[in-house]
PDB file of all heavy atoms in Angstrom:
ATOM      1  N   ILE V 247     217.659 188.327  82.217  1.00 98.00           N
ATOM      2  CA  ILE V 247     217.491 189.461  81.311  1.00 98.00           C
ATOM      3  C   ILE V 247     218.654 189.464  80.317  1.00 98.00           C
ATOM      4  O   ILE V 247     219.818 189.430  80.720  1.00 98.00           O
ATOM      5  CB  ILE V 247     217.494 190.799  82.081  1.00 98.00           C
ATOM      6  CG1 ILE V 247     216.360 190.837  83.103  1.00 98.00           C
ATOM      7  CG2 ILE V 247     217.396 191.978  81.110  1.00 98.00           C
ATOM      8  CD1 ILE V 247     216.401 192.061  84.016  1.00 98.00           C
ATOM      9  N   ILE V 248     218.292 189.509  79.041  1.00 98.00           N
ATOM     10  CA  ILE V 248     219.306 189.604  77.990  1.00 98.00           C
ATOM     11  C   ILE V 248     219.200 190.983  77.361  1.00 98.00           C
ATOM     12  O   ILE V 248     218.118 191.407  76.959  1.00 98.00           O
ATOM     13  CB  ILE V 248     219.051 188.556  76.867  1.00 98.00           C
ATOM     14  CG1 ILE V 248     218.767 187.177  77.444  1.00 98.00           C
ATOM     15  CG2 ILE V 248     220.204 188.539  75.874  1.00 98.00           C
ATOM     16  CD1 ILE V 248     219.948 186.478  78.030  1.00 98.00           C
ATOM     17  N   ALA V 249     220.323 191.695  77.291  1.00 98.00           N
ATOM     18  CA  ALA V 249     220.327 193.021  76.670  1.00 98.00           C
ATOM     19  C   ALA V 249     221.250 193.011  75.459  1.00 98.00           C
ATOM     20  O   ALA V 249     222.397 192.593  75.549  1.00 98.00           O
ATOM     21  CB  ALA V 249     220.795 194.063  77.675  1.00 98.00           C
ATOM     22  N   ASP V 250     220.714 193.441  74.342  1.00 98.00           N
ATOM     23  CA  ASP V 250     221.500 193.545  73.107  1.00 98.00           C
ATOM     24  C   ASP V 250     221.895 195.015  72.927  1.00 98.00           C
ATOM     25  O   ASP V 250     221.102 195.833  72.462  1.00 98.00           O
ATOM     26  CB  ASP V 250     220.641 193.058  71.938  1.00 98.00           C
ATOM     27  CG  ASP V 250     221.407 193.091  70.627  1.00 98.00           C
ATOM     28  OD1 ASP V 250     222.468 193.764  70.557  1.00 98.00           O
ATOM     29  OD2 ASP V 250     220.948 192.450  69.670  1.00 98.00           O
ATOM     30  N   THR V 251     223.132 195.329  73.332  1.00 97.00           N
ATOM     31  CA  THR V 251     223.543 196.742  73.289  1.00 97.00           C
ATOM     32  C   THR V 251     223.681 197.237  71.848  1.00 97.00           C
ATOM     33  O   THR V 251     223.668 198.435  71.600  1.00 97.00           O
ATOM     34  CB  THR V 251     224.870 196.966  74.040  1.00 97.00           C
ATOM     35  OG1 THR V 251     225.824 195.997  73.601  1.00 97.00           O
ATOM     36  CG2 THR V 251     224.682 196.823  75.533  1.00 97.00           C
ATOM     37  N   GLY V 252     223.777 196.296  70.896  1.00 98.00           N
ATOM     38  CA  GLY V 252     223.815 196.688  69.484  1.00 98.00           C
ATOM     39  C   GLY V 252     222.491 197.269  69.020  1.00 98.00           C
ATOM     40  O   GLY V 252     222.448 198.093  68.113  1.00 98.00           O
ATOM     41  N   LYS V 253     221.404 196.837  69.668  1.00 98.00           N
ATOM     42  CA  LYS V 253     220.073 197.334  69.292  1.00 98.00           C
ATOM     43  C   LYS V 253     219.659 198.535  70.135  1.00 98.00           C
ATOM     44  O   LYS V 253     218.788 199.309  69.749  1.00 98.00           O
ATOM     45  CB  LYS V 253     219.031 196.230  69.504  1.00 98.00           C
ATOM     46  CG  LYS V 253     219.006 195.173  68.444  1.00 98.00           C
ATOM     47  CD  LYS V 253     217.792 194.301  68.720  1.00 98.00           C
ATOM     48  CE  LYS V 253     217.719 193.119  67.771  1.00 98.00           C
ATOM     49  NZ  LYS V 253     216.665 192.191  68.216  1.00 98.00           N
ATOM     50  N   CYS V 254     220.244 198.655  71.329  1.00 98.00           N
ATOM     51  CA  CYS V 254     219.847 199.711  72.268  1.00 98.00           C
ATOM     52  C   CYS V 254     220.116 201.086  71.674  1.00 98.00           C
ATOM     53  O   CYS V 254     221.194 201.346  71.161  1.00 98.00           O
ATOM     54  CB  CYS V 254     220.634 199.543  73.570  1.00 98.00           C
ATOM     55  SG  CYS V 254     220.340 200.853  74.766  1.00 98.00           S
ATOM     56  N   VAL V 255     219.102 201.963  71.758  1.00 98.00           N
ATOM     57  CA  VAL V 255     219.259 203.320  71.247  1.00 98.00           C
ATOM     58  C   VAL V 255     219.414 204.333  72.381  1.00 98.00           C
ATOM     59  O   VAL V 255     219.370 205.537  72.171  1.00 98.00           O
ATOM     60  CB  VAL V 255     218.082 203.722  70.330  1.00 98.00           C
ATOM     61  CG1 VAL V 255     218.068 202.850  69.081  1.00 98.00           C
ATOM     62  CG2 VAL V 255     216.752 203.642  71.051  1.00 98.00           C
ATOM     63  N   GLY V 256     219.572 203.819  73.605  1.00 97.00           N
ATOM     64  CA  GLY V 256     219.828 204.703  74.746  1.00 97.00           C
ATOM     65  C   GLY V 256     218.651 205.547  75.159  1.00 97.00           C
ATOM     66  O   GLY V 256     218.819 206.631  75.709  1.00 97.00           O
ATOM     67  N   ALA V 257     217.451 205.047  74.891  1.00 94.00           N
ATOM     68  CA  ALA V 257     216.255 205.829  75.203  1.00 94.00           C
ATOM     69  C   ALA V 257     216.004 205.945  76.711  1.00 94.00           C
ATOM     70  O   ALA V 257     215.321 206.855  77.152  1.00 94.00           O
ATOM     71  CB  ALA V 257     215.040 205.219  74.520  1.00 94.00           C
ATOM     72  N   GLY V 258     216.527 205.005  77.472  1.00 97.00           N
ATOM     73  CA  GLY V 258     216.422 205.100  78.932  1.00 97.00           C
ATOM     74  C   GLY V 258     215.095 204.688  79.525  1.00 97.00           C
ATOM     75  O   GLY V 258     214.877 204.846  80.725  1.00 97.00           O
ATOM     76  N   GLN V 259     214.199 204.161  78.707  1.00 98.00           N
ATOM     77  CA  GLN V 259     212.884 203.747  79.241  1.00 98.00           C
ATOM     78  C   GLN V 259     213.026 202.641  80.277  1.00 98.00           C
ATOM     79  O   GLN V 259     212.264 202.571  81.238  1.00 98.00           O
ATOM     80  CB  GLN V 259     211.976 203.260  78.104  1.00 98.00           C
ATOM     81  CG  GLN V 259     211.656 204.308  77.065  1.00 98.00           C
ATOM     82  CD  GLN V 259     210.998 205.532  77.662  1.00 98.00           C
ATOM     83  OE1 GLN V 259     210.198 205.437  78.573  1.00 98.00           O
ATOM     84  NE2 GLN V 259     211.357 206.695  77.167  1.00 98.00           N
ATOM     85  N   CYS V 260     214.007 201.784  80.068  1.00 98.00           N
ATOM     86  CA  CYS V 260     214.223 200.673  81.014  1.00 98.00           C
ATOM     87  C   CYS V 260     214.647 201.213  82.381  1.00 98.00           C
ATOM     88  O   CYS V 260     214.168 200.748  83.415  1.00 98.00           O
ATOM     89  CB  CYS V 260     215.258 199.701  80.461  1.00 98.00           C
ATOM     90  SG  CYS V 260     216.822 200.478  79.986  1.00 98.00           S
ATOM     91  N   VAL V 261     215.521 202.205  82.378  1.00 98.00           N
ATOM     92  CA  VAL V 261     216.004 202.785  83.632  1.00 98.00           C
ATOM     93  C   VAL V 261     214.862 203.488  84.362  1.00 98.00           C
ATOM     94  O   VAL V 261     214.732 203.378  85.583  1.00 98.00           O
ATOM     95  CB  VAL V 261     217.156 203.788  83.361  1.00 98.00           C
ATOM     96  CG1 VAL V 261     217.701 204.342  84.660  1.00 98.00           C
ATOM     97  CG2 VAL V 261     218.267 203.113  82.573  1.00 98.00           C
ATOM     98  N   LEU V 262     214.023 204.181  83.586  1.00 98.00           N
ATOM     99  CA  LEU V 262     212.872 204.854  84.190  1.00 98.00           C
ATOM    100  C   LEU V 262     211.904 203.833  84.780  1.00 98.00           C
ATOM    101  O   LEU V 262     211.285 204.075  85.815  1.00 98.00           O
ATOM    102  CB  LEU V 262     212.138 205.703  83.141  1.00 98.00           C
ATOM    103  CG  LEU V 262     212.870 206.956  82.662  1.00 98.00           C
ATOM    104  CD1 LEU V 262     212.097 207.616  81.533  1.00 98.00           C
ATOM    105  CD2 LEU V 262     213.068 207.941  83.808  1.00 98.00           C
ATOM    106  N   THR V 263     211.795 202.694  84.121  1.00 98.00           N
ATOM    107  CA  THR V 263     210.885 201.646  84.596  1.00 98.00           C
ATOM    108  C   THR V 263     211.392 201.017  85.882  1.00 98.00           C
ATOM    109  O   THR V 263     210.630 200.803  86.819  1.00 98.00           O
ATOM    110  CB  THR V 263     210.714 200.558  83.517  1.00 98.00           C
ATOM    111  OG1 THR V 263     210.210 201.181  82.332  1.00 98.00           O
ATOM    112  CG2 THR V 263     209.777 199.452  83.962  1.00 98.00           C
ATOM    113  N   GLU V 264     212.693 200.713  85.944  1.00 98.00           N
ATOM    114  CA  GLU V 264     213.235 200.079  87.153  1.00 98.00           C
ATOM    115  C   GLU V 264     214.734 200.338  87.304  1.00 98.00           C
ATOM    116  O   GLU V 264     215.561 199.570  86.809  1.00 98.00           O
ATOM    117  CB  GLU V 264     212.952 198.576  87.133  1.00 98.00           C
ATOM    118  CG  GLU V 264     213.336 197.888  88.425  1.00 98.00           C
ATOM    119  CD  GLU V 264     212.893 198.672  89.656  1.00 98.00           C
ATOM    120  OE1 GLU V 264     211.699 198.694  89.946  1.00 98.00           O
ATOM    121  OE2 GLU V 264     213.750 199.275  90.327  1.00 98.00           O
ATOM    122  N   PRO V 265     215.083 201.404  88.018  1.00 98.00           N
ATOM    123  CA  PRO V 265     216.498 201.748  88.222  1.00 98.00           C
ATOM    124  C   PRO V 265     217.278 200.717  89.032  1.00 98.00           C
ATOM    125  O   PRO V 265     218.507 200.761  89.047  1.00 98.00           O
ATOM    126  CB  PRO V 265     216.451 203.108  88.936  1.00 98.00           C
ATOM    127  CG  PRO V 265     215.058 203.317  89.357  1.00 98.00           C
ATOM    128  CD  PRO V 265     214.171 202.427  88.563  1.00 98.00           C
ATOM    129  N   ALA V 266     216.571 199.793  89.685  1.00 98.00           N
ATOM    130  CA  ALA V 266     217.289 198.740  90.414  1.00 98.00           C
ATOM    131  C   ALA V 266     217.816 197.671  89.454  1.00 98.00           C
ATOM    132  O   ALA V 266     218.715 196.915  89.804  1.00 98.00           O
ATOM    133  CB  ALA V 266     216.373 198.091  91.452  1.00 98.00           C
ATOM    134  N   LEU V 267     217.249 197.628  88.247  1.00 98.00           N
ATOM    135  CA  LEU V 267     217.660 196.598  87.290  1.00 98.00           C
ATOM    136  C   LEU V 267     218.556 197.137  86.179  1.00 98.00           C
ATOM    137  O   LEU V 267     219.365 196.406  85.615  1.00 98.00           O
ATOM    138  CB  LEU V 267     216.431 195.954  86.629  1.00 98.00           C
ATOM    139  CG  LEU V 267     215.516 195.119  87.503  1.00 98.00           C
ATOM    140  CD1 LEU V 267     214.355 194.591  86.673  1.00 98.00           C
ATOM    141  CD2 LEU V 267     216.282 193.968  88.145  1.00 98.00           C
ATOM    142  N   PHE V 268     218.355 198.419  85.832  1.00 98.00           N
ATOM    143  CA  PHE V 268     219.042 198.957  84.658  1.00 98.00           C
ATOM    144  C   PHE V 268     219.728 200.279  84.944  1.00 98.00           C
ATOM    145  O   PHE V 268     219.257 201.087  85.729  1.00 98.00           O
ATOM    146  CB  PHE V 268     218.043 199.188  83.507  1.00 98.00           C
ATOM    147  CG  PHE V 268     217.262 197.970  83.133  1.00 98.00           C
ATOM    148  CD1 PHE V 268     215.974 197.787  83.606  1.00 98.00           C
ATOM    149  CD2 PHE V 268     217.811 197.004  82.309  1.00 98.00           C
ATOM    150  CE1 PHE V 268     215.239 196.654  83.270  1.00 98.00           C
ATOM    151  CE2 PHE V 268     217.083 195.866  81.957  1.00 98.00           C
ATOM    152  CZ  PHE V 268     215.803 195.693  82.442  1.00 98.00           C
ATOM    153  N   ASP V 269     220.838 200.474  84.249  1.00 98.00           N
ATOM    154  CA  ASP V 269     221.514 201.769  84.236  1.00 98.00           C
ATOM    155  C   ASP V 269     221.913 202.019  82.788  1.00 98.00           C
ATOM    156  O   ASP V 269     221.715 201.163  81.920  1.00 98.00           O
ATOM    157  CB  ASP V 269     222.748 201.724  85.153  1.00 98.00           C
ATOM    158  CG  ASP V 269     223.247 203.115  85.528  1.00 98.00           C
ATOM    159  OD1 ASP V 269     222.663 204.122  85.061  1.00 98.00           O
ATOM    160  OD2 ASP V 269     224.231 203.195  86.283  1.00 98.00           O
ATOM    161  N   GLN V 270     222.477 203.209  82.532  1.00 98.00           N
ATOM    162  CA  GLN V 270     222.934 203.512  81.180  1.00 98.00           C
ATOM    163  C   GLN V 270     224.394 203.902  81.207  1.00 98.00           C
ATOM    164  O   GLN V 270     224.857 204.575  82.141  1.00 98.00           O
ATOM    165  CB  GLN V 270     222.129 204.685  80.600  1.00 98.00           C
ATOM    166  CG  GLN V 270     220.740 204.295  80.160  1.00 98.00           C
ATOM    167  CD  GLN V 270     219.975 205.505  79.692  1.00 98.00           C
ATOM    168  OE1 GLN V 270     219.349 206.193  80.493  1.00 98.00           O
ATOM    169  NE2 GLN V 270     220.026 205.779  78.402  1.00 98.00           N
ATOM    170  N   SER V 271     225.118 203.508  80.172  1.00 98.00           N
ATOM    171  CA  SER V 271     226.526 203.846  80.043  1.00 98.00           C
ATOM    172  C   SER V 271     226.697 205.360  79.986  1.00 98.00           C
ATOM    173  O   SER V 271     225.942 206.047  79.297  1.00 98.00           O
ATOM    174  CB  SER V 271     227.074 203.204  78.762  1.00 98.00           C
ATOM    175  OG  SER V 271     228.201 203.909  78.309  1.00 98.00           O
ATOM    176  N   GLU V 272     227.673 205.870  80.712  1.00 97.00           N
ATOM    177  CA  GLU V 272     227.916 207.313  80.665  1.00 97.00           C
ATOM    178  C   GLU V 272     228.531 207.704  79.338  1.00 97.00           C
ATOM    179  O   GLU V 272     228.477 208.862  78.924  1.00 97.00           O
ATOM    180  CB  GLU V 272     228.836 207.725  81.812  1.00 97.00           C
ATOM    181  CG  GLU V 272     228.100 207.678  83.129  1.00 97.00           C
ATOM    182  CD  GLU V 272     228.873 208.292  84.266  1.00 97.00           C
ATOM    183  OE1 GLU V 272     229.901 208.942  84.012  1.00 97.00           O
ATOM    184  OE2 GLU V 272     228.434 208.113  85.411  1.00 97.00           O
ATOM    185  N   GLU V 273     229.123 206.743  78.665  1.00 96.00           N
ATOM    186  CA  GLU V 273     229.759 207.019  77.381  1.00 96.00           C
ATOM    187  C   GLU V 273     228.763 207.190  76.242  1.00 96.00           C
ATOM    188  O   GLU V 273     228.737 208.212  75.568  1.00 96.00           O
ATOM    189  CB  GLU V 273     230.703 205.875  77.035  1.00 96.00           C
ATOM    190  CG  GLU V 273     232.164 206.273  77.095  1.00 96.00           C
ATOM    191  CD  GLU V 273     233.063 205.067  77.082  1.00 96.00           C
ATOM    192  OE1 GLU V 273     232.919 204.253  76.154  1.00 96.00           O
ATOM    193  OE2 GLU V 273     233.891 204.947  78.004  1.00 96.00           O
ATOM    194  N   ASP V 274     227.954 206.161  76.019  1.00 96.00           N
ATOM    195  CA  ASP V 274     227.056 206.213  74.856  1.00 96.00           C
ATOM    196  C   ASP V 274     225.584 206.001  75.202  1.00 96.00           C
ATOM    197  O   ASP V 274     224.744 205.940  74.309  1.00 96.00           O
ATOM    198  CB  ASP V 274     227.495 205.195  73.792  1.00 96.00           C
ATOM    199  CG  ASP V 274     227.536 203.776  74.340  1.00 96.00           C
ATOM    200  OD1 ASP V 274     227.075 203.573  75.489  1.00 96.00           O
ATOM    201  OD2 ASP V 274     228.013 202.889  73.630  1.00 96.00           O
ATOM    202  N   GLY V 275     225.280 205.919  76.490  1.00 97.00           N
ATOM    203  CA  GLY V 275     223.875 205.819  76.891  1.00 97.00           C
ATOM    204  C   GLY V 275     223.261 204.446  76.734  1.00 97.00           C
ATOM    205  O   GLY V 275     222.076 204.266  77.012  1.00 97.00           O
ATOM    206  N   THR V 276     224.043 203.470  76.280  1.00 98.00           N
ATOM    207  CA  THR V 276     223.457 202.143  76.102  1.00 98.00           C
ATOM    208  C   THR V 276     223.238 201.472  77.457  1.00 98.00           C
ATOM    209  O   THR V 276     223.864 201.817  78.460  1.00 98.00           O
ATOM    210  CB  THR V 276     224.335 201.239  75.210  1.00 98.00           C
ATOM    211  OG1 THR V 276     225.650 201.184  75.754  1.00 98.00           O
ATOM    212  CG2 THR V 276     224.369 201.744  73.781  1.00 98.00           C
ATOM    213  N   VAL V 277     222.370 200.499  77.422  1.00 98.00           N
ATOM    214  CA  VAL V 277     221.896 199.873  78.660  1.00 98.00           C
ATOM    215  C   VAL V 277     222.990 199.057  79.360  1.00 98.00           C
ATOM    216  O   VAL V 277     223.810 198.402  78.725  1.00 98.00           O
ATOM    217  CB  VAL V 277     220.654 199.004  78.369  1.00 98.00           C
ATOM    218  CG1 VAL V 277     221.000 197.825  77.462  1.00 98.00           C
ATOM    219  CG2 VAL V 277     220.001 198.522  79.659  1.00 98.00           C
ATOM    220  N   ILE V 278     222.963 199.127  80.682  1.00 98.00           N
ATOM    221  CA  ILE V 278     223.783 198.257  81.533  1.00 98.00           C
ATOM    222  C   ILE V 278     222.808 197.527  82.451  1.00 98.00           C
ATOM    223  O   ILE V 278     222.015 198.172  83.143  1.00 98.00           O
ATOM    224  CB  ILE V 278     224.773 199.088  82.383  1.00 98.00           C
ATOM    225  CG1 ILE V 278     225.769 199.814  81.486  1.00 98.00           C
ATOM    226  CG2 ILE V 278     225.503 198.196  83.400  1.00 98.00           C
ATOM    227  CD1 ILE V 278     226.583 200.877  82.218  1.00 98.00           C
ATOM    228  N   VAL V 279     222.842 196.213  82.410  1.00 98.00           N
ATOM    229  CA  VAL V 279     221.952 195.438  83.282  1.00 98.00           C
ATOM    230  C   VAL V 279     222.633 195.289  84.642  1.00 98.00           C
ATOM    231  O   VAL V 279     223.731 194.745  84.754  1.00 98.00           O
ATOM    232  CB  VAL V 279     221.641 194.052  82.678  1.00 98.00           C
ATOM    233  CG1 VAL V 279     220.715 193.276  83.608  1.00 98.00           C
ATOM    234  CG2 VAL V 279     221.002 194.200  81.304  1.00 98.00           C
ATOM    235  N   LEU V 280     221.984 195.816  85.675  1.00 98.00           N
ATOM    236  CA  LEU V 280     222.570 195.779  87.021  1.00 98.00           C
ATOM    237  C   LEU V 280     222.284 194.451  87.722  1.00 98.00           C
ATOM    238  O   LEU V 280     223.070 193.999  88.543  1.00 98.00           O
ATOM    239  CB  LEU V 280     221.993 196.918  87.868  1.00 98.00           C
ATOM    240  CG  LEU V 280     222.257 198.336  87.360  1.00 98.00           C
ATOM    241  CD1 LEU V 280     221.527 199.335  88.241  1.00 98.00           C
ATOM    242  CD2 LEU V 280     223.750 198.637  87.336  1.00 98.00           C
ATOM    243  N   ASN V 281     221.143 193.870  87.388  1.00 98.00           N
ATOM    244  CA  ASN V 281     220.743 192.600  88.006  1.00 98.00           C
ATOM    245  C   ASN V 281     220.072 191.755  86.927  1.00 98.00           C
ATOM    246  O   ASN V 281     218.913 191.971  86.595  1.00 98.00           O
ATOM    247  CB  ASN V 281     219.796 192.893  89.174  1.00 98.00           C
ATOM    248  CG  ASN V 281     219.259 191.625  89.804  1.00 98.00           C
ATOM    249  OD1 ASN V 281     219.641 190.517  89.427  1.00 98.00           O
ATOM    250  ND2 ASN V 281     218.365 191.786  90.761  1.00 98.00           N
ATOM    251  N   ALA V 282     220.814 190.822  86.361  1.00 98.00           N
ATOM    252  CA  ALA V 282     220.308 190.054  85.215  1.00 98.00           C
ATOM    253  C   ALA V 282     219.365 188.924  85.628  1.00 98.00           C
ATOM    254  O   ALA V 282     218.678 188.360  84.792  1.00 98.00           O
ATOM    255  CB  ALA V 282     221.472 189.483  84.418  1.00 98.00           C
ATOM    256  N   GLU V 283     219.344 188.597  86.927  1.00 98.00           N
ATOM    257  CA  GLU V 283     218.477 187.507  87.362  1.00 98.00           C
ATOM    258  C   GLU V 283     217.577 187.957  88.511  1.00 98.00           C
ATOM    259  O   GLU V 283     217.767 187.554  89.669  1.00 98.00           O
ATOM    260  CB  GLU V 283     219.330 186.295  87.756  1.00 98.00           C
ATOM    261  CG  GLU V 283     220.105 185.759  86.555  1.00 98.00           C
ATOM    262  CD  GLU V 283     220.878 184.481  86.869  1.00 98.00           C
ATOM    263  OE1 GLU V 283     220.502 183.768  87.813  1.00 98.00           O
ATOM    264  OE2 GLU V 283     221.856 184.216  86.160  1.00 98.00           O
ATOM    265  N   ALA V 295     209.884 196.431  81.479  1.00 98.00           N
ATOM    266  CA  ALA V 295     210.986 197.085  80.771  1.00 98.00           C
ATOM    267  C   ALA V 295     211.145 196.526  79.359  1.00 98.00           C
ATOM    268  O   ALA V 295     211.360 197.279  78.396  1.00 98.00           O
ATOM    269  CB  ALA V 295     212.289 196.916  81.551  1.00 98.00           C
ATOM    270  N   CYS V 299     210.729 199.053  76.037  1.00 98.00           N
ATOM    271  CA  CYS V 299     211.923 199.375  75.255  1.00 98.00           C
ATOM    272  C   CYS V 299     211.549 199.602  73.795  1.00 98.00           C
ATOM    273  O   CYS V 299     210.962 198.725  73.164  1.00 98.00           O
ATOM    274  CB  CYS V 299     212.942 198.238  75.357  1.00 98.00           C
ATOM    275  SG  CYS V 299     214.377 198.505  74.279  1.00 98.00           S
ATOM    276  N   ALA V 303     215.592 195.866  72.440  1.00 98.00           N
ATOM    277  CA  ALA V 303     216.957 195.493  72.841  1.00 98.00           C
ATOM    278  C   ALA V 303     216.954 194.544  74.035  1.00 98.00           C
ATOM    279  O   ALA V 303     217.966 193.920  74.326  1.00 98.00           O
ATOM    280  CB  ALA V 303     217.752 196.750  73.183  1.00 98.00           C
ATOM    281  N   LEU V 304     215.810 194.444  74.714  1.00 98.00           N
ATOM    282  CA  LEU V 304     215.744 193.606  75.915  1.00 98.00           C
ATOM    283  C   LEU V 304     214.879 192.376  75.662  1.00 98.00           C
ATOM    284  O   LEU V 304     213.858 192.457  74.989  1.00 98.00           O
ATOM    285  CB  LEU V 304     215.133 194.409  77.078  1.00 98.00           C
ATOM    286  CG  LEU V 304     215.889 195.665  77.506  1.00 98.00           C
ATOM    287  CD1 LEU V 304     215.083 196.406  78.562  1.00 98.00           C
ATOM    288  CD2 LEU V 304     217.271 195.319  78.026  1.00 98.00           C
TER     289      LEU V 304
END
Side-chain angles (χ1 to χ4, degrees):
I247 300 173
I248 313 288
D250 182 344
T251 49
K253 283 188 185 171
C254 175
V255 295
Q259 298 302 323
C260 54
V261 183
L262 290 174
T263 302
E264 187 44 73
L267 293 179
F268 304 99
D269 198 358
Q270 284 176 273
S271 156
E272 287 190 11
E273 249 166 54
D274 58 8
T276 55
V277 65
I278 296 168
V279 180
L280 299 175
N281 176 4
E283 297 185 24
C299 174
L304 299 174

